[in-house]
Amino acid sequence: MNTHLLMIEDDHRLAQMVAEYLGHNGLQVAHQADGTSGLAQLQSPDTGSLPDLVILDLMLPDMDGLEVCRRIRALPGPAAQVPVLMLTAKGDPMDRIIGLELGADDYLPKPFEPRELLARIRAILRRRGDGGTPAAGQSLRFGSLEIDRDARTVTVGGQVADLTSYQFDLLVTLAERAGRVLTRDQIMEAVRGRELEAFDRSIDVHMGRIRAAIEADPKSPKRILTVRGVGYVFAKQQE
C-alpha cells in the first residue's frame, strides 16, 4: 500500500528536498505552497484522495500554520482526522504548545534532519495503525468510557470523543496500566518510542486535551489524575 503525504510549505527548495528524500524511502509527497491550496486539497470530495499525513509549516504566506491546523480539525468527515506533523521555529515552545492544543499530532523544529522527519512520520503512521494492528476484539471499558482499540475510537456515554491519533495512544497507554503511576518520560517513551526531550512539556498539553474530551469536569478530573512531581495515573474505579 502506497503512503501519500501532503506537504504545505512555501519554501519550494525545502519541499523538493523533502519530497525527494521521502520518495527514496517509499513515501509519495504532494506539495502545496500555501494554506488555502492545502485546505482545498484536503476538501476534495474523493475520500480516497486524502493524504495519510500532512506536513504543515508554521509560516505560510496567506495564513499561519496554526490557523490551517485549526481549519483541518474543523473539516467534515475523515479529513478532520488526518494526522498533522507541524514544522515550527526552533526554540519557540509557545508555537509548539498552541499547535498541539489545536490538534497537531507532533512537531519538528526547523532546521531538521531529514532522517528525523522520516522517523517522526513513521512513528505517527504506526500509531495510526498503518504499521500494525492492535489485538482484535479488545475494548477497554471504564464506566461510561469505552476505548475501542480496533476502531481507534473513544466514546463517553455513547458520544464520540474528539482526539487526535497521538492523544488516542496516550490514553490507551494510561488505560492499559490503570492504577499505575507513570512518569512523563515513561508515557512519551511508550507512545513515541524515544526519550522525552529535556524540558518538553507537550505531554501536559495533550493530557489537557484528553481531559477536555473525556472528563465531565476537566478542571476536576476523575479519570486521568496528576501525581504532583511524578506524572499521571489512570483511575481504575470510575463512575
Side-chain angles (χ1 to χ4, degrees):
M1 178 179 178
N2 293 329
T3 300
H4 298 271
L5 312 180
L6 170 62
M7 186 171 192
I8 307 176
E9 166 66 66
D10 64 335
D11 186 333
H12 290 269
R13 286 187 59 190
L14 175 62
Q16 183 178 4
M17 179 197 73
V18 168
E20 290 179 355
Y21 180 82
L22 296 180
H24 290 316
N25 287 275
L27 307 177
Q28 298 183 24
V29 181
H31 172 231
Q32 297 292 348
D34 57 69
T36 302
S37 300
L39 288 167
Q41 183 164 333
L42 287 167
Q43 290 173 299
S44 167
D46 181 6
T47 303
S49 68
L50 285 175
D52 297 292
L53 180 142
V54 173
I55 303 170
L56 175 61
D57 187 33
L58 181 65
M59 303 298 293
L60 295 168
D62 55 344
M63 67 182 84
D64 64 43
L66 298 175
E67 175 63 16
V68 176
C69 185
R70 185 189 69 77
R71 294 191 187 188
I72 290 173
R73 292 298 174 238
L75 290 173
Q81 303 302 319
V82 174
V84 174
L85 171 59
M86 183 166 283
L87 304 179
T88 67
K90 190 173 180 66
D92 196 345
M94 186 52 64
D95 285 337
R96 298 199 296 268
I97 290 172
I98 294 173
L100 293 170
E101 288 178 337
L102 290 173
D105 292 82
D106 201 357
Y107 62 84
L108 184 60
K110 287 183 174 181
F112 55 84
E113 288 290 334
R115 286 180 298 178
E116 183 175 4
L117 174 63
L118 177 61
R120 297 287 185 100
I121 291 170
R122 285 176 170 169
I124 293 172
L125 295 177
R126 280 197 302 271
R127 294 197 302 265
R128 188 168 174 261
D130 294 353
T133 55
Q138 294 188 11
S139 293
L140 298 170
R141 291 183 177 85
F142 301 87
S144 61
L145 173 69
E146 180 176 355
I147 305 169
D148 187 330
R149 286 179 287 192
D150 283 346
R152 293 184 65 80
T153 58
V154 177
T155 56
V156 182
Q159 299 296 314
V160 177
D162 184 17
L163 297 175
T164 68
S165 60
Y166 186 46
Q167 289 158 7
F168 176 86
D169 287 309
L170 285 174
L171 178 58
V172 169
T173 296
L174 286 170
E176 287 178 337
R177 300 162 179 80
R180 174 183 167 190
V181 178
L182 299 177
T183 67
R184 292 175 176 83
D185 297 63
Q186 289 173 325
I187 296 168
M188 294 282 278
E189 192 170 357
V191 173
R192 197 143 64 181
R194 65 183 180 87
E195 293 183 357
L196 183 65
E197 295 175 2
F199 309 113
D200 186 343
R201 307 296 288 186
S202 66
I203 186 71
D204 300 319
V205 176
H206 283 300
M207 289 301 172
R209 295 278 296 184
I210 296 169
R211 282 171 169 162
I214 70 171
E215 299 278 6
D217 181 2
K219 294 183 179 180
S220 182
K222 303 297 183 184
R223 294 186 169 104
I224 298 177
L225 309 179
T226 301
V227 180
R228 188 177 298 275
V230 182
Y232 295 92
V233 59
F234 192 90
K236 281 187 175 181
Q237 301 299 323
Q238 302 175 21
E239 297 181 357

